Amino acid sequence: MRVLVLSDIHSNLEALDACLRAAPSHDLVVNLGDIVGYGASPNEAAERSRELGHHIVRGNHDKACTGQMDLHDFNPVAAAAALWTQESLKPENLEWLSRVLPGPMPLTEAQLVADSAASRESAAAEVPLLVHGSPLDEDEYVISIADALDVLMRSSVRLTFFGHTHIQGGFSLRADVGGQSFRPGYSTQDEREEISMSLAAGTRYLINPGSVGQPRDGDWRAAFLMFDNSASQVTFYRVPYDIAGAQKRIVGAKLPARLASRLSEGR
Ligand SMILES: [Fe+2]
């Protein structure tokens, strides 16, 4: 079974469309939240996300833009974008977005469970978990190896997909090796690229597909990943997109100009 994993679309329609065009054939789409906020296409991002399936966990911006969270934790630019988004969302999209559930959400798709190990206990551990921030707190940023170990040492789940940091890559923990972090090492800055990684037995993973619509790992290209559970493999992708188009919309919507310029920097 092949799963397309998206996160942090942030109302960037141009980036989302580029990811959907570039993604190889898949059986299922999962979405790790922050569908809206920052970008200028919240309705399109919400409508596309809804069409792609129901394996969605909410992000902090989804909460903020639907009035479910106080904006005092947001910086002024993020807060301005959240208010603009709340006013710009059609009522049906606002209503749908406000009903997206918090993680953690087990990816208990029938085929995935059938493909996994025979015993019930190990089958449960094989079911991937979907979260926005971390399994312990939906709003937590898992940035350092210490953050990741805190999660991995308490987890019995082999594979957890997370977003929120907008940094593609992840962390692993194996008893005899300890904790490690990994980032895909691409060779170009502006071409479509993919890098595959096999998941080792006896190892627990926290894996971030990166951000579709506002990467912050120094790479402007839209990010996503594919998970192939029968091959026990993830493949990270970076794809160029119509960044000028996304920026033009942000400026046209009179959103803060910084939200347009940062897309070029991948910061
Ligand atoms: Fe985000």
Side-chain angles (χ1 to χ4, degrees), residues 7-10 33-36 38 59-61 132 141 163-166 211 214 216:
S7 191
D8 295 277
I9 296 166
H10 282 292
D34 277 2
I35 293 164
V36 298
Y38 295 135
N60 53 320
H61 285 260
H132 182 64
Y141 288 92
H164 198 34
T165 64
H166 300 207
S211 169
Q214 195 197 75
R216 292 182 197 155

Side-chain angles (χ1 to χ4, degrees), residues 38-57:
Y38 295 135
S41 302
N43 286 300
E44 294 85 345
E47 285 156 14
R48 293 271 205 294
S49 295
R50 188 169 47 200
E51 287 161 16
L52 291 171
H54 57 273
H55 295 95
I56 307 176
V57 294

Side-chain angles (χ1 to χ4, degrees), residues 34 58-75 78-79 82-83 86 132 138-139 141 164:
D34 277 2
R58 71 182 183 190
N60 53 320
H61 285 260
D62 303 323
K63 282 193 287 180
C65 296
T66 53
Q68 299 181 82
M69 198 178 111
D70 201 314
L71 294 179
H72 72 256
D73 281 344
F74 275 31
N75 66 51
L83 289 173
Q86 197 166 358
H132 182 64
E138 62 177 331
D139 296 333
Y141 288 92
H164 198 34

Side-chain angles (χ1 to χ4, degrees), residues 14-250:
E14 287 76 10
L16 176 58
D17 278 347
C19 291
L20 295 176
R21 276 195 303 272
S25 65
H26 46 270
D27 307 295
L28 194 69
V29 181
V30 307
N31 185 326
L32 306 177
D34 277 2
I35 293 164
V36 298
Y38 295 135
S41 302
N43 286 300
E44 294 85 345
E47 285 156 14
R48 293 271 205 294
S49 295
R50 188 169 47 200
E51 287 161 16
L52 291 171
H54 57 273
H55 295 95
I56 307 176
V57 294
R58 71 182 183 190
N60 53 320
H61 285 260
D62 303 323
K63 282 193 287 180
C65 296
T66 53
Q68 299 181 82
M69 198 178 111
D70 201 314
L71 294 179
H72 72 256
D73 281 344
F74 275 31
N75 66 51
V77 168
L83 289 173
W84 179 89
T85 301
Q86 197 166 358
E87 285 163 11
S88 304
L89 278 168
K90 295 178 191 167
E92 62 268 30
N93 291 333
L94 192 67
E95 206 262 328
W96 174 78
L97 199 59
S98 66
R99 283 188 285 107
V100 175
L101 295 172
M105 175 189 284
L107 188 50
T108 49
E109 195 64 15
Q111 189 61 45
L112 273 176
V113 177
D115 284 354
S116 64
S119 88
R120 200 189 253 180
E121 195 178 325
S122 56
E126 290 289 321
V127 173
L129 203 59
L130 312 177
V131 303
H132 182 64
S134 108
L136 308 173
D137 176 351
E138 62 177 331
D139 296 333
E140 179 190 348
Y141 288 92
V142 178
I143 296 173
S144 67
I145 186 81
D147 301 334
L149 285 176
D150 194 36
V151 174
L152 289 167
M153 289 173 80
R154 297 194 221 184
S155 174
S156 57
V157 177
R158 182 182 178 216
L159 176 58
T160 299
F161 290 114
F162 74 105
H164 198 34
T165 64
H166 300 207
I167 295 170
Q168 192 178 50
F171 306 91
S172 63
L173 176 64
R174 203 174 93 182
D176 56 340
V177 179
Q180 291 182 317
S181 63
F182 49 88
R183 297 265 301 272
Y186 296 108
S187 49
T188 74
Q189 295 178 339
D190 52 11
E191 289 171 28
R192 177 192 185 282
E193 287 194 73
E194 59 181 82
I195 291 183
S196 293
M197 185 182 100
S198 293
L199 302 179
T203 307
R204 292 201 287 272
Y205 291 92
L206 265 173
I207 299 184
N208 190 324
S211 169
V212 170
Q214 195 197 75
R216 292 182 197 155
D217 46 12
D219 187 333
W220 67 275
R221 294 171 292 185
F224 66 93
L225 71 75
M226 295 291 304
F227 167 52
D228 185 331
N229 83 309
S230 41
S232 229
Q233 187 181 69
V234 295
T235 304
F236 295 103
Y237 287 80
R238 294 312 276 246
V239 293
Y241 71 95
D242 175 16
I243 192 167
Q247 290 171 323
K248 203 170 153 190
R249 274 186 211 258
I250 288 171

